[in-house]
Amino acid sequence: MKQAQTKHQPKRYGMVIDLDKCTGCGACMVACFSENNVPFKEDETDKRLSITWMKVYKVTNGKKFPDTEVCYFPRPCQHCAGQHEGHSPCVSVCPATATDYGMETGIVSQIYTRCFGCRYCMGACPYHARYFNWWDPVWPKGMERYLSPNVSPRMRGIVEKCSFCYHRYQLARNKAYTEGRRTLKESEYQTACTQACPANAITFGDLNNPDHAVHQMAQPDLHHHYKPKNPHAFRLLERLGTNTKIYYVSSREWVRKAGDNYQVPLTTDSHGPENSGH
Amino acid sequence: MDSALIPEGVKRCSLPKFLLGLAVVSLVLAWGVYAMLLCWIKGLNQTNMNDYYGFALWIWADLAVIALGGGAFFSGLLKYIIGKDDLKYIINYAVLIGFICYSSALLILAIDVGQPLRSWFIFWHANVHSMLTEVAFCLSCYFAVLTIEYIPLILENRQIDKVPFFHNLSHNMHGAMAVFAATGAFLSFFHQGSLGGVAGVLFGRPFAYREHILIWPYTFFLFTWSAAAYGPSFTLFITWLTEKITRKKLVKDKVIYLLAKISGWMIITYIIAKSLDTLYWMYNTAPAEGFKWTFFFENNPFYTHWVWVAEIILGGFVPGLLLIIKPTRENNFCRVTATVLGILGVSLNRWVMVLQTMAVPVLSFDTWAMYIPSWQEVATTVLPVAYGVILIMISYRYLPIFPQERELNPIEPVAPAADAVEA
Amino acid sequence: MKLSRRCFLSLVAGGAAGTALSPLPWKLADDSSIWSQNWPWTPVPPDGEGTYTLSTCTLCPGGCGINVRKIDDRAIKIEGAKDHPLNDGGVCMLGLSGLQMLYGPTRIQTPLKRAGDRGQGQWKPISWEQAIGEVAQKLGDLRGLGKPQSLACIAAKDTGTVGRLLRRFMSAYGSPNFFRMPSVEDAYEAAIYITQGAIGSAGTDVNNADFILSFGSALLDGYGSPVRVFRANSRLKELNGTVVQVEPRLSNTAAKADKWLAVKPGSEADLALAMAHVIISNNAMNQTFIADQVEGFEAFARMVQEKYAPETAAGKTGLSVDVISEWAMKFASARRPLALYGKGKGQVPGSLKEALAVHALNALVGNINAEGGVWALPAYDYINWPDIETDSVAAAGLQTPRMDGAGTDKYPHARYLTHRIAAGAEGIEALLVAESNPCFSLPNVQAIRTAFEKIPFVVSFSSFMDETAMNADLILPNHTYLERYEDVPVTAGVTQPTVGLCRPVVEPLYKTRHLGDSILQIAKAMKGTVAGAFPWEDYESCLKLTLAGHWETLEEKGVITAAGYAPGGFETASGKFMLMNDDQGAVYMADDVATEGNGNEYPLVLIPYDSIRLASRYVGAAPFMIKTVSDAVIKGQDGYVEINPETAKTLGLADGQLATLTTPVGTAKVGIHYDEGIMPGVVAMPRGLGHTAYDRFLAGKGVNVNELIGFVEDPASGLDAAYGIGAKLA
Amino acid sequence: MSSNEDPKPKDVTEEAHSPSSKGGGGGAYLLLFFLIGLALSMVVGWGIFPKVLYSTKSQPFDFNHKLHLEQVDDSCQSCHFLREDGTFSGAPRLAQCIDCHEQKEREVPWLIYARQPDCVFFSHAAHIKGAGVDCVTCHGNTGTSESLRTYQENRITGYSRDIWGHSIAGIKHNTWDRMKMDDCAACHKDSGSHESSVQTGRDACFVCHK
């Protein structure tokens, strides 16, 4: 494995989202829009043409009034590691190396200037976390003044997605370097959605670091592709073997089932995930 | 007028009539070109694709034409490597059709990418793990091969052939043709396969995903196989169509039957393999990823079980058997029907592998996504067809594509203008 | 000939070869793709020095602390202020979108004078001198005619230096007709006054309660100080506390609550009193509190026994007797139960009966002025200005009764009956509108707009071209909250007196002026006692003098709280909590407030609901917010209503189809959205859509529910108590 | 590939021989013309094209780095410094100039030779503090220059010519001659920084991109 060659324990940034706390208010979405210069159009009601790196799904238990229940699923890019580190559905298929998997952070990157818009990665992503710029991004006159220089605005004809606010990591490291440090504190690198969440439903940190809250909440099992040991935690479509870094926690069983279908009982010796990589 | 350019001993319609026909097709071409420019200048918002349908009509068209163009490499393989010498009477046309199909595929890809100016990154910054990279390389290499195979045909134009340099060039190229045929077959094996791989490696899309042999999913081999099987059918169908339009017999039945028979056996064997693959997927692959196979054919208006009936029975076993069984094979109607069914079958297979894969909801709380192409997409997909027709018209008129034409259509001293209705 | 052609060919061949061997094709290929990576029409945000400015958000009454990230002089991101007593780093969608308003296309960039007819949107830019002059002139004339009372003023709030400056101006000018935009505070203030004799707002200690019984309050959609309530809810999740939501619709709050009690619209008061009945008959109330601090318990007990048996309530609410009893007892037996009043974000005052009933529940479990309960919060005392010397004109004007009848013998419990502007604006000769959008957010806006047409002179101080500004004669644009200083006293349910400081994050972008300064200058221009009432140089000095000692703390921390504040005893005559007296008796015995439109003609009930993804007060939702709105709410330009499939099918309405929604007040084209989360017979529509002003990202999307719903006056208080309206779909 | 197997081709060759024998002497001509074409295109490609491709702009005023360097005590960092938050100040703002100079009213619109495109995240902190790279490595001996070079801008891309380098062939002699991605990558490789990219086996894209 490549980690071996690096001098130190690599990071594995990930998220734990408490679905009991999440209220579906959508602050995470807008925090993301404004942090990452996400463009907007006059009509955003066709959700399949609407760029939302962080998207909140509304899910119901399908029961009739008054037994109906609703749960909200915030869905950023899942930053899949795949069955062997870095074999994400999208990274493996990009023909021009425009999307990459960073061993140091476990973050799936997207380089807008490298991407030439073949959209293969979008077809590969089961979470619909990737978005194509069908239009040129246009800001009403004057509004371009709020654009952040830390995130490059995207041009028409390329794919974009959640980056775990990677620029915040870059800036935090800048600060660390100037202070003669090489390591970051847990609080120094937090994503915009995590920071904004009014319900404190999102937790972000290094899944490899036992001191970090995400590690304690999700209890990833390093020997089984980081499957959560916390019985209330689960990952979207666990059985695809995408080995994602977004863990969801819910006390409601129907919610956990909605997140990852348990059509075939999931057992650690199930060969399902193994089949999914190669 | 242009009689000097027309091959000796064959009859062609009058130039005005020819130009008229050309003009009509060119109108369609122009429509397609207009749509193409719209997509390049205004961007892909001109299409009905969306974030669920990153791949749509265009990618299907690519997969389909390349499968149908498979006749070129396979008949090349049969003639030069396996030694089915009779095929030399149809191979020119197979090459021409292949050339058209592959150039069309490349054109469509050039429209399909969001940043055409950067499309060369696929070569320059290639990611060798990506099936699409493999496609790009093999596709363009094989297109080069097809061009090389097509050139001598052009050189045989009466006037060009007069130039000794070109004459000798074409003559020498003939010698090397076996090499090119071999190269072509080799390249085709990989790009046909990698096109299958494009869908087969998507482990995030349980509907398309297949287990692997080495780095290649089953669909890799199925696609190569199906291209070799249905490609010749397409060649046969186009030949038949040309004969109908020109009202001439252009290739001897013996040759037709031979190719039909081969195509038939290839189809049958392919469809059996395909059925096994499907069964394995239904009862192993899909469940392993947490899905019951029926899920992929429910709760949506279009993709139901009839898809399989159409693809495997009507598009597979039926044409396969029709072409294997001698009486039906040698019955014009049955044979042509078989080739048509085959063409539809393989096209449907490519459609399903691309479009249904996109339509299926993977997240349990997501819904089926349906899609109807915009007129710009349709126009740009029709564009290559028009272009193909034009290329065939010109080639047929000025090049000796069908070696048996003169023999089959001896010119009577007095040529009644009537028989000269054609493309 | 042949030769030359071939020579030409070889020339070309040589040229091709040479070109290929030169950098030209390769560099061009590279540069053209680099060009496509830096298209000149794709903006490149200039980099610079990054800084943060601490301020306070004023886009809703919540008063959250915000920390605005800047690059050089550009504001690029709004974040929640860490360690702020209300939101501690959290921030809602509206707060996050502030920059789209600051830099947005709907900003009014200079004083404007109406050129065409009202509402035509034809304006002539004028100088500030002229603008101030014209207002002073007009108002001077009115005083000259001896009818200062014909000047009215509508504002979002009456607290803080700006609110107080407006009121002070009205008094000095001589008009009693200052209006505050209606809100649940109106009813809460009345209830607190009646039961506790205190003048002030209600603080709800959600942070320390362990059982919250919410009567339709949108805890997770912007009720009170939104982030504060969110945090309280999350805290309850951690401590396995309980949230019970009483509402006809599966709102976000109901969805996340531990129990959703789906009741028929308008039956909340009956449920509350029935629960009181259960608690009393089971002797589950807080005996000591009742004994020591409550007056009129017996009378109250008798009243609920007579009129509010669970059986009756069961019929009215649609809940079973068992459910009512079960949750009444759970409430009573909780350690720190808290019943909340106020539907949605609290934009409609609601019925006094319901407010009292809910307050009574709190009294029964003894959590009035107690930790985890409801506190009476006095008006803040940091504004001590000299009394106004009024001249005879003003004195006379102030003697005239308020034109809405608030505070009169008929409606002693109401301070403002702002909705009445719709009914009678005849008396109004001139109107000042500050930081509010009555032409959009008051019920029955058609009536409001007609009333506006009757008002000869309307001045708007809006920063944005909203519906009210569109219907004004003069616009004196205010700075946005990101360009100005202002004190922000928070009354939205907080238990500690809290004042935030809103401060300029960026220099004013346009030729706008602080509302406070506009008032000061108008007053000064009017000379005499009016001018005399405003001894300050400008607003900023007024603010600093007023805040005096607090100023430094605010500058540094951005907020001050009277930490450790605890309310004293009750200010009633008896010094006890007045659970029941004759006034209240009358209120309790009165019938429920009915909706407009009888059941035969209007078989359905339309209820508005609040979504935290939409803004329905002064400012309109920003593009970012609209982007997040579900396609089950707006699709294209059409607004969709939630309806139970069962009901829809009986009406023959298919999911997704368009239909006509008719109420006694108005008609609109709406889309049908099947939703199992809503009670049969009810249709729901969000507030905040259907704007006619603002930009193309907001205008024309969906339907403004205020065009379909009117106000219904609570006989007891005169306040608007409409919770819905009869409706029919076809 | 044609397969016409009849005697025709032979006759054709015979016919065809006559014209070609006439044009036999043409061979030399053909070569000549070929060379002319070759030469011309070479001149265009290597000589004219680069001149046309770049426009030249001169700085607002001629700045003497050498002179300033003698005046200040903290060498380059005196004017080009890392801010507290770790970001790099870049070309000095007016605010810094007026520490020594008399008040000027507006910012100086410097043309930045080393400006990278927007997609690049370059961390001066990482290079200066982290790796101890000195300014010269990338910026050359600007510090000792007595006047400013003319600024050349690529008409198509808008890039400063320093990025591609002044040799149109892209040949570099010094580390600072070129500033393309490959140059960054090469240096990173040599300095043995983490091979953290799955795809390239070098540094992950996000290390230097935003």
Side-chain angles (χ1 to χ4, degrees), chain C residues 326-340:
Chain C
E326 177 193 355
W327 289 98
M329 290 313 289
K330 283 193 172 146
F331 175 75
S333 52
R335 211 169 99 270
R336 280 176 183 163
L338 169 62
L340 290 180

Side-chain angles (χ1 to χ4, degrees), chain B residues 85-134:
Chain B
D85 201 49
D86 274 354
L87 293 178
K88 70 185 171 207
Y89 298 116
I90 199 170
I91 202 151
N92 290 352
Y93 208 36
V95 166
L96 174 56
I97 293 167
F99 180 85
I100 291 166
C101 290
Y102 278 78
S103 46
S104 307
L106 291 172
L107 176 68
I108 293 176
L109 282 175
I111 307 170
D112 191 28
V113 296
Q115 287 281 355
L117 286 174
R118 296 187 219 158
S119 41
W120 56 276
F121 285 7
I122 201 172
F123 303 111
W124 195 256
H125 302 290
N127 164 21
V128 295
H129 305 105
S130 171
M131 281 294 166
L132 217 52
T133 313
E134 198 172 323

Side-chain angles (χ1 to χ4, degrees), chain A residues 113-130:
Chain A
T113 43
R114 172 65 64 81
C115 174
F116 66 91
C118 75
R119 304 183 298 284
Y120 193 9
C121 55
M122 293 169 68
C125 176
Y127 307 102
H128 297 295
R130 295 180 154 269

Side-chain angles (χ1 to χ4, degrees), chain A residues 51-62:
Chain A
I51 300 179
T52 47
W53 293 9
M54 169 63 107
K55 176 175 181 173
V56 178
Y57 283 87
K58 182 182 184 179
V59 183
T60 75
N61 66 346

Side-chain angles (χ1 to χ4, degrees), chain C residues 475-487:
Chain C
I475 307 177
L476 280 61
N478 190 4
H479 298 326
T480 63
Y481 72 111
L482 295 167
E483 301 165 303
R484 68 172 190 242
Y485 272 115
E486 190 173 326
D487 54 322

Side-chain angles (χ1 to χ4, degrees), chain C residues 208-421:
Chain C
N208 293 305
D210 67 349
F211 188 114
I212 293 179
L213 172 58
S214 148
F215 287 85
S217 304
L219 304 178
L220 304 181
D221 267 308
Y223 176 83
S225 183
V227 179
R228 171 176 179 262
V229 180
F230 272 66
R231 291 285 156 101
N233 182 72
S234 292
R235 175 183 155 278
L236 282 176
K237 295 282 178 202
E238 284 163 11
L239 307 178
N240 300 317
T242 311
V243 176
V244 179
Q245 181 70 355
V246 180
E247 201 175 0
R249 178 179 166 271
L250 185 66
S251 64
N252 282 5
T253 314
K256 308 305 291 190
D258 303 271
K259 178 63 182 178
W260 169 36
L261 295 179
V263 298
K264 291 181 188 154
S267 64
E268 290 85 354
D270 300 276
L271 177 61
L273 291 164
M275 285 182 153
H277 179 292
V278 173
I279 292 169
I280 292 169
S281 41
N282 289 293
N283 242 330
M285 56 275 184
N286 181 327
Q287 306 293 359
T288 49
F289 183 79
I290 302 284
D292 310 350
Q293 304 191 47
V294 171
E295 184 179 357
F297 171 73
E298 291 69 18
F300 181 81
R302 226 177 297 112
M303 182 273 298
V304 289
Q305 304 289 4
E306 286 166 18
K307 196 157 184 285
Y308 295 98
E311 293 69 19
T312 9
K316 284 186 168 173
T317 58
L319 297 172
S320 74
V321 175
D322 301 349
V323 171
I324 297 176
S325 320
E326 177 193 355
W327 289 98
M329 290 313 289
K330 283 193 172 146
F331 175 75
S333 52
R335 211 169 99 270
R336 280 176 183 163
L338 169 62
L340 290 180
Y341 167 75
K343 292 193 181 62
K345 291 176 184 172
Q347 279 171 258
V348 174
S351 83
L352 187 56
K353 181 188 191 174
E354 190 180 326
L356 285 169
V358 174
H359 205 45
L361 272 180
N362 287 317
L364 286 180
V365 294
N367 68 356
I368 304 295
N369 289 356
E371 198 176 5
V374 181
W375 300 21
L377 217 62
Y380 299 168
D381 56 1
Y382 65 89
I383 302 182
N384 312 308
W385 291 339
D387 294 342
I388 309 168
E389 290 170 20
T390 51
D391 58 12
S392 55
V393 186
L398 290 170
Q399 289 314 309
T400 61
R402 284 179 60 91
M403 57 182 58
D404 62 358
T408 57
D409 305 347
K410 187 151 185 288
Y411 298 118
H413 306 312
R415 288 173 61 205
Y416 310 106
L417 297 172
T418 311
H419 62 271
R420 291 199 163 185
I421 289 178

Side-chain angles (χ1 to χ4, degrees), chain D residues 154-207:
Chain D
N154 184 309
R155 292 182 196 273
I156 300 172
T157 64
Y159 282 17
S160 156
R161 186 166 186 166
D162 290 34
I163 306 301
W164 174 269
H166 285 258
S167 148
I168 191 69
I171 298 157
K172 63 188 283 188
H173 306 292
N174 310 306
T175 48
W176 57 82
D177 282 348
R178 218 175 52 191
M179 290 184 152
K180 283 180 74 79
M181 188 176 114
D182 297 348
D183 303 287
C184 305
C187 185
H188 276 222
K189 211 169 186 336
D190 303 344
S191 64
S193 55
H194 311 311
E195 297 156 329
S196 57
S197 161
V198 168
Q199 290 299 345
T200 63
R202 301 187 304 208
D203 261 331
C205 306
F206 259 2
V207 173

